[in-house]
Structures are given as C-alpha cells and as structure tokens.
Amino acid sequence: MKEQALVKKQRRVISLWLPNFSIDRANISRGSDKRPEDVPQVTVIKEQSALRIAAADPQAQASGIFPGMPLTDARALEPALKIHEADHAADLAFLARLADWCGHYSPWTAPDVTGEAGENGYGIWLDVTGCDHLFGGEEALLNGIVARLNSLGFAARAAVADTPGTAWAAVHYGLIQGERVLVTKPGKVRDILRRLPVAALRFSPEICAGLDRLGLRHGGDLFDLPRGPLVVRFGEILIRRVDQALGRQSEPISPQHPPPRYRARMSFAEPVGKSEDIEEACRQLLKTLCQQMERAGRGVRRLEAACYRVDGSLARVSIGTSRATRNAPHLLRLLSEHFESIDAGFGIETVVVGALQTDQLFADQLNLSDVPQRMFNRSQTAAESMASLVDRVANRVGHRNVHSLAPRNSYVPERAVRRTPYAEQTKPLAGHPPARWFNNRPRPLSLFDTPQLIEVVAPIPDDPPVLFRWRRVLHRVVVSGGPERIGPEWWELAESTHKKDPLPRDYYQVEDADGDCFWLYRSGLY
C-alpha cells in the first residue's frame, strides 16, 4: 500500500484597506462612481452643537485637515472643501454588502472595522488559504480585487500575509508610497513586523504613547522583552496582539454567513443577465456538487445559489428539501422556480452553488428482483416521489406549512396522532418504542378539535343510542357497534391535554338513516 503524506496548507490572509470608504460610499450613494481628484472631501459629524471632521481624504489631509478638527477651521484652510454628512450605520451596512460580494474570491470573508473610521478607515478580511491558484496566484488575486474595487469607485489597498495581524500591519504601514498591493513571503512574519511601528500591531493610541515613552517604537522591540511587566503596565491586550500577529495565538476570521463545506463556482468571461444562462450554469455546478457529496456519502438538505453582480452586490436563492438528496435535476427544478426573481442588474459575473445543510445519504442496497425495473424504467420509489412532490410544494408555500401525520403511542384519540412539518420528522426518543398505527380498531378520518355535545336516547344506559340530537338535527340510528372502552393514561395525566377529563370513555360507531357515520362516546361510567 502506497503511503501518502498529508501536507497542511500555509494559512494566507488578505487585509483590504479602504482608506476613504465613507467618502467614496457617500459619492456612490449620490449617484457618482468617480470622485474629482482635485477637490478635497471630508465627512463631518455633529459633536456638542459643533460640526467636526470625521474623515478626510488624502487631498484634504495634504491641506492640513485631519479628523477631529472643527469644520470652521477646515474651511479656513480649504474654502473649496466638499462636505459629506457622516453616516456610520450606512457605512457598516454597505461594507457588509461589499464583504459578501468578495465571497466569490473566498468563502471566508468578514468586514474589518479596526480602529475608528477616518483614522484607520474600513476594511475587509479574506482568508484565501488554498484559493489563490484559481486566480493566477496571490499577486494576480490582489491586483484583481483592487482593480475591481477601483472600478466601483473605492480607493483600495491590499496585502497578504500568514496572519491577519501581519496582513493588517503590512497594508496600513508596510506599503511603499504609490503601491496598491503587497505580497509578503510565507514564514517571514517576524522580519516584516520587526521594522514597522508599534501602531501596526493594532494597539490603542494610549498604549502606543506609553510604549513611546519607554523607547519601544518598533514591533521588534517587543518580541524578546519579559512579558510580566508589559502585562502589568499595559494589560493583556498587548501580549495578545503580538501573539496574534506572530501566529502564536489563533485569530480566526468569522464569516458573515457560514461557508458551505461543499460548493462549486463558475465565472463567466462576460457578464450574463438571462435566466437561461443562470440555469445552465447551475445545471453544471449541481453535477459537480452532487459528485462531491456522493464521494462523501452526503445529501443536500438546504441549498443556496449566490449570483455575484459586477456592481459589487449579489443575489441569493435558497431552497430546502424534505429529505437528503443528490438528485441534480430535482434540485435544479426547485432552483429554477426562483430564477425569474433574480435581478441581474448590470450583469452577473460569478455563480456559486453551495450545500448549506447536508445529511448522511448512502447508496441504496437493491434486491435482485428490483434491478431490472430500476435499470430499465428508472422509476422512483414511493418515498422519493413523495419527497419530490413535497419539495416543490414546500418551496412555494414554505416548509413549515407542509405537515405530515405521525402516529403516537396512545389509544386516546386526540393523542394518538401528532402533526409536524414534513421536513422536521424526528426519530423516537431513546428508550421509547417506535410509534405505530393501530389498525385493529376502526377509526374515523377526522376528529373535531373539541368534542361536540349531543342529546342521546338509548334503551338502557350501556346500549348503543337509537336517537341523538346534534346541532338541532335529529338523527335516527339504524346500525351501531360498540362499546369500545378507552381509559385515561394515568401515567401521563399530569401533563396530558385531556387531564380535565380523566374519566374512561365508551365509544360507539353508529350510522343514521341518511347513511352518515358518526363516532360517539360517553364520558364516565353510568
């Protein structure tokens, strides 16, 4: 047997920095995707009845305008200043959308709001471990992301490194003037951080000022110092940031949406907008996805198709199934019912299909007598046909609106059946026998939610009724059967729904002169 060595991929993280995000976002929201380069722009926020600068672009900063400055002072320095009102909530919402759109580069994306807006700007994390080869390497990937963001109207810079802390430090403090991307070599974390200022380790201004007073001005000054005095003076956050940047302590990136374990993606040479093109792409992707799950012995329970538009937004379509399946045509049929609702906008450039929820699904073991029918007729089993029907109905009206009836181990009529959503059928609890339908006693097809009171005439108390009045209508009994005595479940009276009537019941099956059948009972012994 040939031995195979498992090679663990070196983690690589991209830090995107959008230094003028709030200003660029304000321009885009006003319908302008290109901002004039020669006009300084700022965003302002109201503090204590005065307007102060919240963020300033490079042109404004070159004129001496900085965050926190009163607006009147800024106007004195630059009369032609263009002003936008700061909207932090709108910035965060747009940043979340942009992070979702970056999902076609990597499923592990999350917004980065390190520091205050205007000081460190906004950013996006991307964990691209094992993804760069899909885009021609790390440098091509970084250049592609930055170019796309520039085309959307955002100034952007990007750096890739072994840890999120190092990537953040490189993009904020390690780029040479004029560069837009920086690719750091794997395993060179200490060399990169050693010559950067301590602020690159994401310390607060107070900690940076305290370190400066001690003469600790570069990241390398902190690596070999005793940790005890540093923790006592600056707190545990200082050591944690250093360890995260060096990779000694894990710093996971939590994506906004859980990334699917099984996914397939397709990018188009030119943006598409027709639903037929989206359907054909999903057809091919579902074949690949089902092959992945077949090798893993899994089946789809919840599926999502994400369409990434060229304008930095995306459209999601999700469907669910009542049972695990790897039937690609059936999944495509469910998805295709939602394609007409997708707004392609200026065009869709990438489609990603992922299985959000899966269950075990192994190959069926067939009997020899079933082989010819399954091989030549390709007919589905009854369970598969029912599941296919339920899926099509449930994806239109909602899975919680499609119910199934399941037996319960009880002879009491109102407790003998339970109604549950079809997709949430559960197995019996451990230690409890599986419920089964009682076929040895006749039962009506439907019951009232609460019993209806009737007036009865019988020869003697224990005999079946000969007359009864229900809803002011008199019924003459011509055929009767019973009684069948059903006693209360004394071991469940404390929590049962019929604890208000803990008496035995005598049930009768009767038929009146018009041919109508009824199920009547008398509560309590005569």
Side-chain angles (χ1 to χ4, degrees):
M1 183 176 181
K2 184 180 295 184
E3 295 183 358
Q4 294 182 352
L6 296 178
V7 179
K8 184 177 180 180
K9 286 277 187 181
Q10 172 67 45
R11 188 187 187 195
R12 300 292 280 173
V13 179
I14 291 177
S15 177
L16 277 175
W17 182 26
L18 308 171
N20 305 321
F21 178 77
S22 59
I23 297 175
D24 294 338
R25 198 274 311 165
N27 285 320
I28 292 175
S29 63
R30 287 168 173 77
S32 173
D33 59 348
K34 292 185 178 180
R35 48 193 305 271
E37 297 295 335
D38 56 341
V39 178
Q41 301 189 49
V42 297
T43 58
V44 296
I45 188 172
K46 189 175 183 180
E47 290 184 357
Q48 299 179 352
S49 302
L51 294 177
R52 294 186 178 274
I53 304 298
D57 67 356
Q59 289 76 18
Q61 294 179 15
S63 302
I65 301 172
F66 55 87
M69 174 183 291
L71 178 60
T72 54
D73 296 346
R75 283 187 177 277
L77 294 174
E78 184 55 64
L81 195 65
K82 186 175 182 180
I83 302 170
H84 305 281
E85 184 179 355
D87 191 344
H88 187 58
D91 289 343
L92 292 179
F94 201 100
L95 185 67
R97 289 172 47 194
L98 210 57
D100 274 346
W101 173 79
C102 289
H104 71 286
Y105 295 106
S106 168
W108 295 87
T109 64
D112 172 27
V113 289
T114 305
E116 298 181 1
E119 176 189 351
N120 291 325
Y122 296 87
I124 299 174
W125 298 113
L126 291 91
D127 192 328
V128 293
T129 307
C131 300
D132 59 285
H133 68 280
L134 299 174
F135 305 93
E138 291 181 343
E139 186 173 359
L141 173 59
L142 292 181
N143 284 313
I145 296 176
V146 171
R148 290 302 311 278
L149 290 173
N150 291 160
S151 67
L152 295 176
F154 293 99
R157 293 184 177 185
V160 60
D162 295 345
T163 64
T166 305
W168 192 93
V171 76
H172 285 79
Y173 295 90
L175 284 172
I176 302 175
Q177 187 68 26
E179 287 187 351
R180 299 191 307 170
V181 301
L182 176 62
V183 179
T184 65
K185 295 182 179 180
K188 301 295 183 180
V189 171
R190 295 177 68 93
D191 297 338
I192 297 170
L193 298 175
R194 188 181 300 277
R195 59 181 182 269
L196 296 181
V198 292
L201 295 173
R202 295 176 291 173
F203 297 146
S204 65
E206 294 77 13
I207 293 180
C208 293
L211 293 173
D212 183 71
R213 286 193 296 268
L214 297 177
L216 305 174
R217 298 182 177 87
H218 296 88
D221 299 338
L222 304 174
F223 294 163
D224 301 322
L225 290 179
R227 298 191 162 208
L230 293 176
V231 173
V232 172
R233 183 156 187 170
F234 300 103
E236 182 268 341
I237 182 64
L238 185 142
I239 299 302
R240 186 170 76 249
R241 287 302 191 193
V242 172
D243 288 345
Q244 287 176 343
L246 295 177
R248 297 171 180 168
Q249 183 174 341
S250 175
E251 185 179 3
I253 295 174
S254 300
Q256 298 185 101
H257 303 281
R261 183 175 180 181
Y262 306 96
R263 66 195 299 265
R265 68 184 302 275
M266 177 181 292
S267 296
F268 305 106
E270 296 290 339
V272 300
K274 296 182 179 179
S275 58
E276 295 82 1
D277 298 331
I278 302 174
E279 182 175 356
E280 181 59 30
C282 289
R283 186 192 313 276
Q284 300 181 29
L285 293 176
L286 284 172
K287 292 180 181 179
T288 303
L289 186 68
C290 290
Q291 291 173 359
Q292 295 177 12
M293 290 187 294
E294 184 176 6
R295 291 191 293 267
R298 310 290 293 183
V300 172
R301 286 300 306 277
R302 187 157 189 82
L303 186 75
E304 179 186 76
C307 302
Y308 294 86
R309 306 186 185 99
V310 296
D311 61 352
S313 60
L314 63 91
R316 298 180 186 272
V317 173
S318 62
I319 55 100
T321 61
S322 57
R323 54 180 290 177
T325 180
R326 291 193 297 265
N327 189 338
H330 174 56
L331 295 174
L332 179 63
R333 189 181 305 114
L334 299 178
L335 281 176
S336 61
E337 296 179 358
H338 302 278
F339 288 156
E340 293 295 336
S341 63
I342 296 178
D343 182 10
F346 294 102
I348 294 174
E349 59 180 347
T350 302
V351 176
V352 177
V353 175
L356 301 180
Q357 182 181 351
T358 63
D359 280 343
Q360 287 187 348
L361 180 62
F362 299 107
D364 295 333
Q365 178 65 49
L366 305 178
N367 297 326
L368 290 178
S369 59
D370 295 336
V371 172
Q373 181 183 4
R374 294 293 296 269
M375 289 181 62
F376 297 108
N377 295 337
R378 302 291 183 182
S379 62
Q380 293 179 309
T381 64
E384 292 172 343
S385 300
M386 177 58 70
S388 176
L389 173 63
V390 169
D391 291 343
R392 298 192 64 180
V393 175
N395 279 279
R396 295 182 180 181
V397 302
H399 279 271
R400 300 196 64 84
N401 295 323
V402 179
H403 296 85
S404 64
L405 300 180
R408 181 182 288 169
N409 287 323
S410 176
Y411 282 101
V412 179
E414 59 264 32
R415 291 175 54 82
V417 177
R418 71 175 186 273
R419 189 177 69 170
T420 58
Y422 192 89
E424 299 179 9
Q425 299 180 25
T426 57
K427 298 180 180 180
L429 298 176
H432 292 256
R436 60 185 179 85
W437 297 106
F438 296 107
N439 299 323
N440 56 343
R441 295 288 187 273
R443 292 290 184 265
L445 295 179
S446 62
L447 294 174
F448 290 109
D449 293 335
T450 58
Q452 303 281 320
L453 185 64
I454 61 174
E455 300 175 4
V456 178
V457 176
I460 59 176
D462 289 336
D463 277 4
V466 295
L467 288 173
F468 68 94
R469 187 185 304 276
W470 175 51
R471 295 180 177 176
R472 301 181 182 180
V473 177
L474 186 65
H475 298 266
R476 184 178 301 276
V477 177
V478 295
V479 178
S480 61
E484 175 189 355
R485 178 161 295 175
I486 299 178
E489 297 167 340
W490 54 266
W491 60 91
E492 293 184 357
L493 281 178
E495 57 182 359
S496 66
T497 58
H498 66 290
K499 59 184 177 181
K500 294 182 179 179
D501 185 20
L503 299 175
R505 301 174 181 177
D506 287 340
Y507 283 85
Y508 300 88
Q509 298 87 35
V510 300
E511 180 180 344
D512 65 4
D514 295 331
D516 296 328
C517 297
F518 300 87
W519 205 35
L520 313 177
Y521 79 85
R522 181 181 65 238
S523 178
L525 302 178
Y526 174 73

